[in-house]
Amino acid sequence: MTETFVSYSLIAVYSAMAIYTLAFVMFAVDLARRSAESSDASAARATGLASASAQQASVMVNGSSVGGTDTLTTAGASESKIVAHSPKSLKLAMAMTVLAWVLHVGAVIFRGVAANRVPWANMFEFTLTATALIVGVFLIVQFWQDLRFLGSFITGFVLIALGVGTSSFYVDVVPLPPALQSAWLVIHVFVASLSTGFFALAASLSIVQLMQARREAGKALKLRFLDTLPAADRLETLAYRLTVVGFVMWTFTLIAGAVWAERAWGRYWGWDTKEVWTFIIWTLYAGYIHARATRGWRGSRSAWLAIVGFLAIVFNFTVVNLFFKGLHAYSGL
Amino acid sequence: MTEGDATRPSDHMDAPAPAPQSKVQQPRLNLAGYARFFWRQLTSMRTALFLLLLLAVAAIPGSLVPQITSDPNGVIAYRTNYPDTAAVLDFFQVFNTYTSVWFSSIYLLLFISLIGCVLPRTKHHFDALRASPPKTPARLSRLQGFTTRTTEADVDTTIASARRLLRSQRYRTELYGDSVSAERGYLRETGNLVFHAALVGVLVTVGIGGGFGYTGQRVVVEGYAFSNSLASYDSFNPGRFFTDEALDPYTVALDSFEPVYEQNNRQAIGQAIDFTANVTTTVRGEEPQQSQIKVNEPLSLSGTNLYLLGNGYAPVLTVRDADEKVIWSQPTPCLPFDANLGSTCVIKIPDGLDQQIGMLGFLYPTTGTLSSGALASVYPDLISPVLTLEVYEGDLGLDNGQGSNAYALNTDSLEQVAGRTSEAETLRLTPGDRLELPNDLGSVELTSIPRFVSLDVHHDPSQLPVLLFSVLLFAGLITSLFVPRRRMWVSARTDASGTTTIEYAALARGDDPNLEAAVTDFAEKHSQQLGVRVDS
Ligand code: HEM
């Protein structure tokens, strides 16, 4: 029985990867479309048809909601032209992401059923589940803000992670060692993975923010799709709000981890390598929050901190798990 | 965020922008001036940020190099493998990163900065809690969420009802002429202060509370007991303020140890699934009690916790001299070296035979044979055990006054009399077997193979306070990040025709995603209450 479910899980995840690939391509096509349209817009401006500034265009993009039609209230003729093209590539990309995600979640569930426990007890399973959560956060956040333009970042990242996960981290279903048999496995690891979802999204926003800031500073950046995206300070606000949610979860992870460590290892904090890196990441993000409140640090500098924070998370998950010695020897490899 | 907040560090986003200073006019600083300058620097946001990032970087080396506290054997191995690097690392206290002078300096500075930053803000916040909301700005139209409505009601009615509505939304209000000024979300700042204060609480309780605690390790064999007293521990680490009286002399007897190993899943045959230690505990003046200790389920006993951290086998050997007299019969805990509990055993018999003898054993709980012909354990449970013994005679080196490691045999002054390098073969025993020792020394019998557990006993009075501070910290964090703090103003003016125009506007203090929606909502509700004629 176990083997059947394991193979269902693998089939589902491979299919999801195939569809994520298509979604990634469509998101890229959408960025190309944005570039093209922003040139149209500047052409329109040049002929004096209307006053479509990139600024206004971006305001408009902010205002649109998921799947909703982009309605304009203050824009002139050329803006309507920008949005009159229904972004088919974008809708298609989103639809494929949703489809892939459903399969992806299916893979997670089958894995859990096969193992008869939560499917996040070794590196392969963490990868599978955490990436599903990253995409899940990406999809759900759309109800709050239109962040579809991050699609290529997110699907790209998730594809790489799943590629490495299925090829290099794969392990068979084995029972949990006694130290992992705890309700804290369910809570602590789940919340940690969920927070990476928020941090991933925030980091991609910060990357776009840095690009946008360069463009706004007049540096030549040949990425015209940036014209259609929100302004840098708007991107920063969004990144900040997502980071803060991630940070609260990370704080919880840290505290819950300490409580669990007390149960399992007899002390709540012992500077085990994994504990050290969880602390480093926490401190980096606390730094980010401070930076945002420090004159001279808001803007690109704090964006770099958010990116470094996310790199530390990836590092913690890969290099620390695989090559650093410690009590958290649960990669299963 | 136009308005300054005097008690925040001067480089906080919300503080008033610094006036441009010309270098020439800077007053000369006296000592007090320098002190104040230094203090201002230390408690600035920029310093806090710098120290936070420095702390993150400073924590890295401790994850790359083994630490004495978490991985003592790793440190020993590192010292042997890289003596030169180790000397440098020792100089910089890298094997003790988290208690090193440099790491401690960083976090102590950070916490001084934190206290210096939080104290004045706390005072200011207490004042703010009692003060009234600030005067209504002259031109609301410049503020966020500005919107207007018109009504037939007169100004007084309008303002009075606005105030009532604001109060019902938990705003603090104050009337200024024909306007009402309101503020809410003081909890945001409270949360922030609680958060930072709780951080200090965590640090202090870890530092002080930990000093009163202790940890002790003890190996206990099935059928044996140990008591919570200094003498009976194999190793013991007292906190800084520890005294002997802290030990409550209870006893713990290990009745049995029951492991469960995977038998069906072919990918994981022999993997441990469950460990249970059944114990009988006796606390002074009470009846003995039966309990269990499991991984993840420590046993609490008069202020201490007992953790099950390891297990293995402790074969009982019975050694008789040439006259059949039993001179040795006791269990020897063996150190597992692989996942199938293949273990090494060291037995030292200093007295009773003509010669001191030492025995080096290998225990295979379920014995298999490798293609090389060597024995190996293929499953951790006790199914077909074999114990092999190499026997040495000579001087065990126990009398030279130096403490010796019970798990290692120093063969410098010993001669192998049975084993690979001697004439007699390695002894090979299964339970119940009895074999002659070489040179007519006597005999050795493998009497039984009980199991042992290694228990950690911890007493840590800081645990509960640290947990409480962590909960406070978390609650403070959430409040501080998600409670919106905002000011709202409603002002009204009646024109000649008798129509009253109401203006609404707000100001966010800190991140406030829903500010504009909040103003619109409020205007909507308020004008509905008044009975609106026209919506503008
Ligand atoms: C152990 C060191 C510190 C840590 C871990 C830390 C962490 C944090 C965190 C997580 C926040 C965001 C949550 C909140 O607003 O409550 C925050 C906010 C804040 N911290 Fe700290 N902090 C530290 C030290 C300091 C110091 C030394 C100062 C003063 C210089 C300071 C001043 C502030 C201020 C003013 C805010 C509010 C930021 C805002 O207005 O958005 N903190 N801190």
Side-chain angles (χ1 to χ4, degrees):
Chain A
M1 225 29 208
T2 299
E3 265 126 59
T4 324
F5 284 119
V6 164
S7 55
Y8 287 169
S9 170
L10 279 174
I11 293 168
V13 73
Y14 287 133
S15 324
M17 285 165 71
I19 302 175
Y20 278 137
T21 312
L22 294 176
F24 174 76
V25 171
M26 290 316 289
F27 278 121
V29 168
D30 174 63
L31 291 185
R33 170 193 68 86
R34 287 169 188 266
S35 294
E37 281 173 6
S38 101
S39 331
D40 288 356
S42 28
R45 212 176 317 148
T47 56
L49 272 173
S51 60
S53 73
Q55 213 74 23
Q56 277 169 302
S58 67
V59 167
M60 180 270 308
V61 172
N62 289 345
S64 68
S65 60
V66 206
T69 43
D70 301 317
T71 40
L72 285 176
T73 43
T74 57
S78 71
E79 275 109 356
S80 354
K81 192 173 162 211
I82 292 180
V83 274
H85 295 280
S86 152
K88 280 212 190 84
S89 45
L90 190 54
K91 281 188 180 152
L92 202 57
M94 284 303 283
M96 286 198 276
T97 310
V98 172
L99 178 60
W101 185 65
V102 169
L103 286 165
H104 191 166
V105 170
V108 173
I109 293 173
F110 277 130
R111 180 76 185 189
V113 172
N116 198 16
R117 55 164 164 73
V118 288
W120 47 82
N122 53 52
M123 267 180 84
F124 166 69
E125 294 174 0
F126 299 141
T127 314
L128 189 66
T129 306
T131 46
L133 286 170
I134 290 176
V135 180
V137 171
F138 170 72
L139 292 177
I140 286 167
V141 159
Q142 307 301 330
F143 290 102
W144 167 66
Q145 285 290 326
D146 181 1
L147 299 183
R148 289 176 295 176
F149 58 89
L150 296 178
S152 45
F153 279 96
I154 296 297
T155 49
F157 177 79
V158 163
L159 264 175
I160 294 173
L162 282 178
V164 176
T166 48
S167 61
S168 307
F169 300 161
Y170 186 77
V171 288
D172 291 310
V173 169
V174 298
L176 286 182
L180 286 189
Q181 292 169 22
S182 163
W184 289 111
L185 173 68
V186 182
I187 304 166
H188 166 78
V189 182
F190 181 78
V191 176
S193 314
L194 188 58
S195 64
T196 47
F198 284 89
F199 286 139
L201 215 54
S204 28
L205 276 168
S206 297
I207 292 170
V208 182
Q209 175 198 337
L210 284 176
M211 293 169 22
Q212 194 71 300
R214 283 190 67 117
R215 197 187 59 96
E216 284 168 11
K219 302 242 171 64
L221 208 60
K222 288 224 181 73
L223 296 167
R224 279 205 222 87
F225 67 87
L226 288 173
D227 289 354
T228 67
L229 300 186
D233 59 351
R234 175 74 189 153
L235 290 167
E236 173 168 10
T237 308
L238 297 175
Y240 172 76
R241 286 179 190 154
L242 290 170
T243 306
V244 159
V245 175
F247 183 75
V248 167
M249 293 178 179
W250 197 258
T251 309
F252 178 84
T253 305
L254 194 69
I255 297 174
V259 174
W260 188 8
E262 188 277 323
R263 295 276 95 182
W265 301 325
R267 84 288 181 294
Y268 54 83
W269 194 264
W271 296 106
D272 177 63
T273 44
K274 200 79 183 185
E275 290 170 350
V276 172
W277 277 91
T278 306
F279 170 80
I280 292 174
I281 291 162
W282 190 80
T283 312
L284 284 172
Y285 278 108
Y288 168 81
I289 294 176
H290 276 222
R292 279 254 321 162
T294 306
R295 184 166 292 128
W297 275 78
R298 187 168 282 195
S300 300
R301 284 193 184 182
S302 60
W304 276 112
L305 275 181
I307 295 166
V308 170
F310 187 66
L311 289 179
I313 289 182
V314 175
F315 182 84
N316 185 26
F317 180 69
T318 52
V319 179
V320 175
N321 272 4
L322 292 174
F323 302 109
F324 288 27
K325 199 179 153 206
L327 290 169
H328 281 80
Y330 303 129
S331 68
L333 298 174
Chain B
M1 284 195 248
T2 50
E3 190 159 327
D5 201 334
T7 54
R8 298 232 158 164
S10 57
D11 58 344
H12 189 279
M13 280 308 274
D14 290 359
Q21 274 187 359
S22 96
K23 286 242 163 73
V24 196
Q25 279 172 346
Q26 254 180 23
R28 282 236 204 94
L29 296 177
N30 55 17
L31 202 63
Y34 272 116
R36 213 173 308 126
F37 173 78
F38 177 74
W39 182 247
R40 265 237 298 285
Q41 290 301 310
L42 185 65
T43 57
S44 71
M45 289 300 284
R46 206 169 302 131
T47 307
L49 174 57
F50 172 75
L51 288 172
L52 268 172
L53 297 182
L54 192 62
L55 189 66
V57 174
I60 296 175
S63 73
L64 302 173
V65 173
Q67 298 295 294
I68 290 177
T69 43
S70 56
D71 184 13
N73 296 328
V75 175
I76 294 170
Y78 197 100
R79 289 214 166 101
T80 349
N81 294 340
Y82 316 98
D84 296 339
T85 328
V88 178
L89 295 181
D90 264 327
F91 180 78
F92 289 107
Q93 303 172 309
V94 182
F95 292 119
N96 267 319
T97 298
Y98 305 104
T99 49
S100 67
V101 174
W102 47 276
F103 191 80
S104 311
S105 319
I106 297 173
Y107 75 74
L108 287 177
L109 270 180
L110 179 58
F111 274 85
I112 293 171
S113 164
L114 172 67
I115 293 167
C117 169
V118 162
L119 280 184
R121 276 174 59 196
T122 312
K123 182 183 174 305
H124 175 79
H125 188 54
F126 269 114
D127 295 344
L129 283 176
R130 272 175 276 125
S132 353
K135 275 218 162 69
T136 312
R139 266 193 280 169
L140 291 183
S141 53
R142 286 191 178 170
L143 296 171
Q144 273 173 289
F146 175 74
T147 177
T148 62
R149 301 286 187 277
T150 50
T151 172
E152 308 270 79
D154 64 19
V155 167
D156 285 348
T157 324
T158 306
I159 294 301
S161 78
R163 187 180 197 182
R164 265 198 311 278
L165 190 57
L166 282 164
R167 278 193 174 156
S168 75
Q169 298 189 357
R170 297 199 289 123
Y171 281 84
R172 186 109 45 91
T173 61
E174 183 69 43
L175 294 181
Y176 292 105
D178 291 338
S179 71
V180 56
S181 166
E183 177 156 6
R184 60 156 290 165
Y186 294 84
L187 257 182
R188 186 184 184 91
E189 181 73 355
T190 311
N192 183 295
L193 294 171
V194 166
F195 168 81
H196 284 89
L199 277 175
V200 180
V202 169
L203 186 77
V204 170
T205 37
V206 169
I208 297 180
F212 288 99
Y214 60 81
T215 67
Q217 288 78 37
R218 171 64 201 242
V219 164
V220 192
V221 179
E222 282 177 312
Y224 285 73
F226 89 103
S227 67
N228 183 32
S229 65
L230 267 187
S232 74
Y233 281 106
D234 299 328
S235 68
F236 192 80
N237 318 68
R240 225 168 306 157
F241 314 118
F242 169 82
T243 55
D244 285 12
E245 289 110 70
L247 293 179
D248 191 359
Y250 55 73
T251 61
V252 176
L254 179 64
D255 303 325
S256 62
F257 175 70
E258 289 165 8
V260 178
Y261 299 106
E262 176 64 45
Q263 297 179 328
N264 301 321
N265 183 336
R266 259 180 284 138
Q267 322 297 344
I269 297 284
Q271 191 196 301
I273 294 179
D274 190 39
F275 294 135
T276 310
N278 297 307
V279 295
T280 301
T281 60
T282 317
V283 178
R284 198 168 26 170
E286 290 176 22
E287 288 293 300
Q289 271 205 330
Q290 304 213 316
S291 325
Q292 289 191 337
I293 311 178
K294 294 168 85 90
V295 182
N296 270 314
E297 292 172 32
L299 173 66
S300 295
L301 202 57
S302 55
T304 64
N305 278 335
L306 280 77
Y307 303 87
L308 175 61
L309 292 192
N311 67 82
Y313 293 100
V316 175
L317 290 177
T318 305
V319 177
R320 294 178 177 83
D321 65 12
D323 302 327
E324 291 289 300
K325 195 174 118 210
V326 173
I327 56 149
W328 173 276
S329 183
Q330 66 183 59
T332 306
C334 300
L335 277 186
F337 57 78
D338 68 20
N340 285 325
L341 291 186
S343 313
T344 48
C345 318
V346 170
I347 301 109
K348 298 176 190 174
I349 301 176
D351 307 305
L353 300 179
D354 295 344
Q355 291 266 6
Q356 289 196 338
I357 67 165
M359 293 186 276
L360 188 59
F362 288 94
L363 176 71
Y364 309 99
T366 301
T367 311
T369 315
L370 298 179
S371 49
S372 65
L375 297 183
S377 179
V378 295
Y379 187 73
D381 214 347
L382 207 57
I383 291 178
S384 53
V386 166
L387 175 70
T388 65
L389 288 174
E390 291 181 340
V391 185
Y392 295 81
E393 64 175 44
D395 181 5
L396 287 170
L398 298 178
D399 310 324
N400 60 7
Q402 291 173 10
S404 74
N405 181 350
Y407 295 99
L409 190 65
N410 181 348
T411 55
D412 290 350
S413 350
L414 291 173
E415 187 196 345
Q416 195 176 78
V417 290
R420 283 162 297 178
T421 60
S422 66
E423 281 173 20
E425 272 182 29
T426 305
L427 306 183
R428 186 174 164 155
L429 298 154
T430 60
D433 288 353
R434 176 170 163 181
L435 293 175
E436 295 302 311
L437 289 167
N439 303 346
D440 291 330
L441 284 169
S443 67
V444 56
E445 176 191 314
L446 177 55
T447 314
S448 61
I449 309 183
R451 298 169 195 268
F452 74 83
V453 297
S454 59
L455 295 179
D456 262 38
V457 180
H458 291 202
H459 170 61
D460 185 352
S462 75
Q463 240 171 48
L464 193 61
V466 170
L467 181 64
L468 290 179
F469 277 120
S470 307
V471 171
L472 265 183
L473 177 158
F474 190 64
L477 182 69
I478 291 187
T479 332
S480 162
L481 291 175
F482 300 123
V483 169
R485 180 165 189 190
R486 58 173 78 115
R487 291 178 178 159
M488 194 166 331
W489 292 279
V490 182
S491 94
R493 180 170 26 83
T494 311
D495 64 15
S497 67
T499 307
T500 302
T501 306
I502 325 170
E503 296 187 335
Y504 306 85
L507 177 71
R509 311 195 63 211
D511 184 64
D512 188 353
N514 300 318
L515 183 71
E516 311 218 335
V519 183
T520 322
D521 270 7
F522 182 84
E524 216 46 58
K525 259 207 199 103
H526 182 227
S527 45
Q528 254 163 34
Q529 279 188 1
L530 285 169
V532 200
R533 202 186 49 184
V534 204
D535 219 297
S536 61

